[in-house]
């Protein structure tokens, strides 16, 4: 099967053929570190983490480069407002960014260059562009001459003459053409600056990605990614700079993630409609947020809401409960007469089909929404099988259920959604501790030990024909949504959802 992906350059779905067999080189635009990132930024980083993980799962050796923009107008502004240096702002928020990515379970880039550590190569690229007639100097600033590059507009599909008429308003008089953009900016007093052939100054934002991608990966490299809001002008300018400087094609496939919206409007710092990632991660486990994101295809817009977060939380618990329950059952003997052969084979067929659908969906432009849909179907089938055969489970039944659980764990893992580790059995409400204290004299604080104490008390009460005590256990648990079912393998605890 071939992996197909949508290439923004050309706007079609294409077969993915990397430059070098078995290897993928990818570059993803990183953050400008002037504040904590919001969940819109996080969506884009999660989308490319998904793509990277799937490529790795497909057996590719992936070089994944992401820059950190640690000098920029926004950083300088934030520093002035806070009364600290730009370097302090950049250091605080790049640390916060790295922590947020780790908390989110995003795999570390293989290289993570910073703008302030790449000034030399940036000056070199500007010199190359001036030499080749693609850039010019005005009073310590250097501009890229957009009309000197014939392919300008090919990524975003814009026409240079239309752009020109739109750009006429409020033009900087010093530019030869309103479309030209800064490669190098002279420093104003108090701003961070580096020595260059054109005086003290700092690099323009677009330049750093052209330089760092070439430096780390060479050109052309395989995949360039970022949010769709970066197509114009950032990525269009990157193409122009790089292809003009090297005379070679720049990136072979351009991938762009859709925006995360709030009430149908893009989440952004400037609109003030943002939710910080760190605040969401304080209230919800990272895999829940990831699950929410992956339920929408990475190129489609995603409308974020707290209700969707709650739904994702329930969905995550459903997967986790299914796996916990099967793991718990498999740790116990299952001498029941067993489900019918037809039922068991039907579940086995679902496992096989879900594996095939997962691969086909992910090979089709990383359709995580489809892939997750298949996994939900498997969880539903396994839960259905369990509740239909709860009291008669046999060892072959548990083998098929074990296969279903292993499939869910493995394929969610490919998507980066890890289930809670080390817990088996139903997740019990904390209330069981109080009942165990009252009825069974339990004095610890562990729900599963409390449940064991209650099961013992229940068995002892039944043996003694102490029905009042046995009923107290049953009624206390029922009030918490927990029931105990007697099966061939002994009592089974069933926790109803919610
Ligand atoms: P910035 O720090 O603003 O350059 O953004 C970092 C990354 O987040 C870029 O790849 C942007 O495309 C992406 N981004 C910004 N806002 C959103 C949003 N609302 N939804 C998805 N991605 C976004
Ligand atoms: Zn970039």
């Amino acid at each position: 099967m071939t992996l197909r992906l949508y290439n923004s350059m050309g706007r079609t779905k294409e077969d993915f053929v990397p430059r070098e067999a078995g290897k993928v080189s990818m570059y993803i635009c990183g953050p400008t570190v002037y504040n904590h990132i919001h969940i819109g930024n996080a969506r884009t980083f999660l989308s490319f983490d998904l793509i990277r993980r799937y490529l790795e799962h497909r057996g590719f050796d992936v070089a994944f480069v992401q820059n950190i923009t640690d000098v920029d107008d926004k950083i300088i502004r934030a520093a002035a407002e806070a009364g600290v240096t730009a370097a302090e702002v950049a250091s605080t928020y790049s640390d916060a960014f790295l922590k947020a990515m780790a908390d989110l379970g995003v795999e570390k880039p293989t290289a993570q260059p910073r703008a302030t550590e790449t000034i030399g190569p940036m000056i070199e690229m500007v010199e190359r562009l001036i030499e080749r007639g693609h850039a010019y100097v005005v009073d310590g600033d250097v501009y890229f001459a957009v009309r000197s590059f014939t392919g300008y507009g090919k990524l975003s599909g814009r026409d240079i003459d239309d752009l020109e008429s739109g750009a006429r308003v409020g033009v900087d008089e010093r530019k030869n053409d309103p479309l030209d953009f800064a490669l190098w900016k002279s420093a104003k007093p108090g701003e961070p600056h580096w020595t260059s052939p054109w005086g003290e100054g700092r690099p323009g934002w677009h330049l750093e990605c052209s330089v760092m991608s070439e430096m780390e990966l060479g050109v052309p490299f395989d995949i360039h990614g970022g949010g769709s809001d970066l197509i114009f002008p950032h990525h269009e300018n990157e193409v122009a700079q790089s292809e003009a400087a090297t005379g070679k094609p720049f990136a072979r496939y351009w991938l762009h993630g859709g925006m995360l919206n709030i009430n149908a409007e893009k989440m952004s710092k400037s609109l003030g409609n943002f939710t910080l990632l760190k605040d969401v991660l304080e209230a919800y486990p990272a895999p829940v947020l990831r699950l929410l994101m992956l339920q929408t295809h990475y190129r489609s817009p995603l409308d974020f809401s707290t209700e969707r977060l709650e739904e994702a939380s329930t969905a995550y618990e459903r997967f986790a409960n299914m796996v916990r329950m099967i793991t718990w059952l498999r740790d116990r003997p299952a001498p029941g007469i067993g489900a019918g052969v037809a039922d068991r084979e039907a579940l086995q067929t679902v496992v096989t089909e879900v594996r095939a659908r997962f691969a086909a969906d992910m090979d089709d432009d990383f359709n995580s929404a489809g892939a997750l849909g298949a996994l939900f179907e498997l969880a539903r089938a396994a839960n259905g099988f369990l509740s239909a055969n709860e009291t008669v489970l046999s060892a072959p039944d548990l083998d098929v259920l074990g296969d279903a659980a292993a499939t869910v764990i493995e394929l969610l893992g490919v998507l980066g959604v890890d289930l809670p580790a080390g817990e088996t059995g139903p997740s019990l409400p904390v209330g069981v501790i109080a009942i165990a204290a009252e009825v069974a004299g339990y004095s610890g604080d562990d729900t599963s030990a409390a449940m064991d104490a209650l099961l013992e008390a229940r068995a002892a009460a039944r043996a003694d024909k102490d029905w009042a005590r046995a009923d107290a256990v049953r009624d206390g648990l029922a009030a918490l949504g927990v029931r105990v079912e007697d099966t061939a393998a002994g009592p089974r605890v069933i926790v109803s959802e919610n």
Side-chain angles (χ1 to χ4, degrees):
M1 258 189 318
T2 358
L3 174 61
R4 288 174 64 75
L5 45 79
Y6 182 88
N7 190 349
S8 308
M9 185 73 89
R11 286 170 281 280
T12 49
K13 234 187 242 183
E14 299 176 20
D15 286 356
F16 177 64
V17 184
R19 185 184 53 184
E20 213 182 311
K23 290 192 172 168
V24 178
S25 46
M26 60 195 287
Y27 182 92
I28 308 305
C29 294
T32 303
V33 284
Y34 69 104
N35 202 332
H36 291 289
I37 65 163
H38 58 63
I39 52 174
N41 307 127
R43 179 186 187 202
T44 292
F45 301 137
L46 279 170
S47 295
F48 287 99
D49 187 56
L50 168 81
I51 289 169
R52 175 197 186 165
R53 282 170 184 269
Y54 190 64
L55 290 169
E56 285 172 344
H57 170 73
R58 278 298 235 104
F60 291 107
D61 178 8
V62 180
F64 186 101
V65 180
Q66 182 175 55
N67 64 312
I68 291 185
T69 303
D70 59 354
V71 56
D72 178 83
D73 290 341
K74 291 177 192 158
I75 299 175
I76 295 171
R77 225 175 295 133
E81 278 165 21
V84 296
T85 65
E88 282 167 325
V89 168
S91 151
T92 302
Y93 293 109
S94 61
D95 287 353
F97 170 69
L98 297 178
K99 179 175 184 306
M101 289 298 101
D103 290 348
L104 207 48
V106 167
E107 285 188 17
K108 273 194 185 154
T110 47
Q112 196 154 36
R114 288 167 193 252
T116 57
E117 291 166 5
T118 323
I119 303 291
M122 287 202 254
I123 291 175
E124 275 168 37
M125 186 176 274
V126 178
E127 285 180 315
R128 254 194 283 168
L129 287 168
I130 295 174
E131 266 163 38
R132 289 176 157 240
H134 290 293
Y136 56 94
V137 185
V138 187
D139 301 336
D141 292 338
V142 186
Y143 292 101
F144 184 87
V146 165
R147 281 195 182 265
S148 74
F149 178 69
T150 43
Y152 198 82
K154 65 181 174 181
L155 176 66
S156 56
R158 293 181 195 217
D159 179 81
I160 198 159
D161 294 318
D162 293 346
L163 285 170
E164 188 90 58
S165 43
R168 287 250 159 74
V169 208
V171 174
D172 178 348
E173 293 297 324
R174 301 173 324 145
K175 293 199 271 186
N176 292 351
D177 187 308
L179 290 180
D180 296 350
F181 59 87
L183 295 168
W184 185 264
K185 300 176 181 188
S186 57
K188 299 194 189 74
E191 286 184 355
H193 55 91
W194 289 263
T195 305
S196 80
W198 320 287
E200 294 296 308
R202 60 193 165 91
W205 169 45
H206 311 303
L207 182 66
E208 85 186 69
C209 292
S210 281
V211 170
M212 291 177 183
S213 54
E214 184 185 348
M215 188 175 82
E216 298 289 348
L217 303 169
V219 287
F221 55 91
D222 291 313
I223 295 177
H224 193 315
S228 59
D229 56 339
L230 299 186
I231 296 176
F232 189 85
H234 183 54
H235 290 164
E236 194 70 64
N237 290 353
E238 283 187 38
V239 173
Q241 292 164 155
S242 292
E243 297 193 353
T246 63
K248 292 189 215 165
F250 180 41
R252 304 172 67 244
Y253 299 90
W254 283 89
L255 271 55
H256 288 102
M259 291 294 103
L260 181 141
N261 298 329
I262 209 106
N263 301 323
E265 200 168 38
K266 178 190 168 189
M267 176 172 287
S268 74
K269 295 266 164 62
S270 52
L271 289 174
N273 60 351
F274 59 87
T275 304
L276 294 180
L277 171 65
K278 71 182 181 67
D279 294 340
V280 171
L281 291 185
E282 264 172 32
Y284 294 87
V288 168
L289 181 62
R290 192 184 279 258
L291 200 58
L292 180 157
M293 301 284 190
L294 299 185
Q295 281 177 276
T296 301
H297 186 276
Y298 84 93
R299 282 193 293 113
S300 304
L302 186 159
D303 256 305
F304 178 81
S305 65
T306 312
E307 292 78 60
R308 290 201 59 185
L309 208 40
E310 280 298 320
E311 281 162 23
S313 194
T314 308
Y316 181 67
E317 269 312 304
R318 195 164 295 143
F319 281 131
N321 278 336
M322 169 215 159
V323 167
R324 273 190 210 115
M325 183 57 85
I326 292 172
T327 313
W328 186 79
L329 286 169
R330 278 167 64 80
D331 284 345
R332 280 156 183 78
I337 56 161
V341 175
D343 267 17
R344 199 156 53 227
E345 281 179 359
L347 181 59
Q348 189 64 66
T349 304
V350 177
V351 173
T352 311
E353 283 174 359
V354 161
R355 280 190 172 274
R357 262 179 61 196
F358 181 93
D361 282 332
M362 288 301 288
D363 275 352
D364 180 15
D365 196 28
F366 312 102
N367 180 5
S368 59
L372 273 175
L375 292 181
F376 281 125
E377 195 178 306
L378 176 54
R380 239 186 333 269
N383 281 333
F385 180 89
L386 261 178
S387 50
N389 301 295
E390 220 152 46
T391 53
V392 296
L393 290 173
S394 65
D397 291 341
L398 287 186
D399 285 345
V400 181
L401 283 168
D403 201 9
T407 301
V408 164
I409 295 172
E410 178 198 330
L411 298 183
L412 280 178
V414 170
L415 304 179
V417 179
D418 292 328
L419 293 177
E423 288 175 44
T424 63
S427 71
L428 295 160
V430 283
V432 298
I433 294 173
I435 303 172
E438 193 186 317
V439 183
Y442 175 73
S443 59
D445 60 0
D446 178 73
T447 49
S448 78
M451 193 68 216
D452 287 344
L454 279 172
L455 290 178
E456 258 175 52
R458 174 177 177 269
R462 287 177 157 203
D464 295 348
K465 300 201 170 6
D466 180 353
W467 307 120
R469 189 152 173 252
D471 286 353
V473 173
R474 188 197 58 207
D475 296 345
L477 287 174
L480 299 172
V482 179
R483 90 197 136 84
V484 180
E485 188 88 24
D486 290 299
T487 75
R492 228 190 97 200
V493 178
I494 297 160
V495 183
S496 60
E497 278 182 33
N498 298 320

